[in-house]
Amino acid sequence: MRKSKALWGCVLAAALLLAACGKPNAGSSGSGSMSGSGAASQTTAAWKTGLGVVVETEDEDRTGSIRLAAAAVLLDGDGKIADVELDELETTIGADGTGAVHLPTDYRTKRQKGVDYPLAEASSLKKGWAEQADAFADYLTGRTPEQVSLLKLDNDGKPTDADLLADCTIAVDRYRDAVVKACSNARGLGAAKGDRVSLGVEAVNASSDVTATDDRDVNAEIDISLVALTLDAEGRVTSAVADMAEPALTVAADGGITAPDKVETKLEQGDRYGMRGASSLNKEWYEHSEGFCGYLKGKTRAEVAAIPADGSDADLMALCTISVTDLQKAALDAMRTK
């Protein structure tokens, strides 16, 4: 079996020493740090919003899998975790000896599946995935990113702390890594004390071909849009971060499936994504994303839902000309009633 996984270990701890996320969009306009002077603006800037994504792929003969773990975090003025939300998408793609690709029919995340993800029945705690993931998130609240990176787990990625095991017995290694990544990426985007953080995901099939031939392999791709945002007591967006991952498995004519060695999100690719030359605004994808996130600030769920899908909003078009249909759906998912 061939596996492609993110190997963190000491790299995660080292990442926490960085003063910024290191992306080329740091300090850009749109959803960047709010300007201004005085204690109020300084307090707002001290709270940071982050999104972390960990993608793992595997292949074995004529079967391949894609697993994406994501974390949205809110850091307080002391750099400690004030709020966390987690989610995970798992999907499997198969093929047969004729090269025909068998795509999944359900692209919901574990949180979105709710009771349809049957963990509670098999759990010794009789708790579903969301209950256990939220318990892990609660356990992390108040801790520093470094403390999270040093969290002790067993060989299966499960917690060893007795207090945590009382509410969470699932493997949390990927969620821990996503949280550490989100903390490293976090920036002051307008969130403040009293806000809550939320995570939304929209995953769709992006495969146009369903049969590989001797002359052409098939890329079985899933496009996953993610939005981490913070909401104030009135349910208005105070900050947002949007990203997208496009993991793809290669299917050959004999049905053999090959997983990529590494999957980077569009934010992680930065200028390497190579969109600037084709953009009428001369912007890279992360800059369009920042424009969309800045446009969301101050809006309620109803106002986000009312964003025209045809891109006819002049204010948004001045900041962002990429298709925001799936990002909009992810934002609405993040703004769901809890």
Side-chain angles (χ1 to χ4, degrees):
M1 179 170 69
R2 176 175 172 271
K3 297 184 178 180
S4 171
K5 292 189 175 183
L7 300 178
W8 300 101
C10 296
V11 176
L12 286 171
L16 295 170
L17 300 177
L18 298 176
C21 63
K23 295 188 183 69
N25 55 333
S28 298
S29 59
S31 62
S33 300
M34 297 179 66
S35 61
S37 59
S41 63
Q42 291 174 4
T43 301
T44 300
W47 288 67
K48 298 180 179 180
T49 309
L51 172 63
V53 181
V54 175
V55 184
E56 297 176 355
T57 60
E58 291 186 4
D59 60 63
E60 185 173 11
D61 298 328
R62 295 174 178 171
T63 302
S65 65
I66 296 171
R67 172 178 282 175
L68 179 146
V73 302
L74 177 62
L75 300 180
D76 66 18
D78 295 323
K80 295 181 179 180
I81 295 174
D83 199 13
V84 185
E85 185 162 276
L86 304 165
D87 208 345
E88 184 175 26
L89 174 72
E90 286 182 320
T91 190
T92 301
I93 293 172
D96 60 30
T98 68
V101 182
H102 307 301
L103 296 169
T105 58
D106 191 345
Y107 292 93
R108 292 178 298 168
T109 66
K110 291 182 177 181
R111 186 173 294 279
Q112 291 165 349
K113 287 179 179 179
V115 296
D116 291 339
Y117 187 74
L119 176 65
E121 297 176 1
S123 168
S124 61
L125 301 176
K126 301 304 177 184
K127 292 185 176 183
W129 182 89
E131 290 179 284
Q132 297 197 45
D134 289 345
F136 180 57
D138 290 342
Y139 179 83
L140 299 182
T141 301
R143 300 178 190 273
T144 66
E146 183 178 11
Q147 288 173 327
V148 176
S149 71
L150 297 175
L151 181 66
K152 293 183 179 180
L153 307 175
D154 65 18
N155 292 335
D156 295 321
K158 296 182 178 181
T160 59
D161 185 279
D163 291 336
L164 179 54
L165 282 171
D167 295 305
C168 174
T169 58
I170 58 176
V172 296
D173 48 349
R174 288 177 298 277
Y175 313 143
R176 174 204 59 193
D177 294 349
V179 169
V180 171
K181 211 172 190 182
C183 292
S184 179
N185 293 338
R187 291 184 293 149
L189 302 173
K193 184 176 182 179
D195 292 350
R196 67 175 177 88
V197 75
S198 191
L199 173 67
V201 183
E202 176 70 13
V204 297
N205 168 40
S207 305
S208 56
D209 296 327
V210 293
T211 303
T213 66
D214 291 335
D215 299 324
R216 185 189 69 245
D217 292 341
V218 167
N219 282 328
E221 180 179 316
I222 299 174
D223 288 352
I224 308 168
S225 300
L226 307 103
V227 174
L229 50 79
T230 54
L231 301 166
D232 63 17
E234 297 179 350
R236 292 187 179 275
V237 177
T238 57
S239 68
V241 182
D243 202 354
M244 186 175 181
E246 300 173 312
L249 304 174
T250 302
V251 182
D254 63 357
I257 293 180
T258 304
D261 293 328
K262 184 179 182 181
V263 177
E264 289 184 307
T265 69
K266 290 185 178 181
L267 287 187
E268 290 171 332
Q269 292 178 57
D271 284 308
R272 289 186 288 107
Y273 185 69
M275 179 181 180
R276 191 180 304 281
S279 167
S280 60
L281 299 178
N282 193 35
K283 289 184 175 183
E284 190 48 79
W285 190 92
Y286 65 83
E287 294 171 302
H288 288 274
S289 172
E290 284 188 331
F292 174 69
C293 290
Y295 179 81
L296 294 180
K297 290 176 67 172
K299 288 182 169 55
T300 64
R301 192 178 194 281
E303 290 169 332
V304 173
I307 297 174
D310 59 3
S312 60
D313 187 295
D315 292 336
L316 178 57
M317 289 293 289
L319 301 168
C320 167
T321 57
I322 60 173
S323 172
V324 298
T325 300
D326 289 340
L327 291 176
Q328 180 184 16
K329 291 178 180 178
L332 290 171
D333 181 40
M335 300 178 79
R336 64 195 177 278
T337 302
K338 294 187 177 182

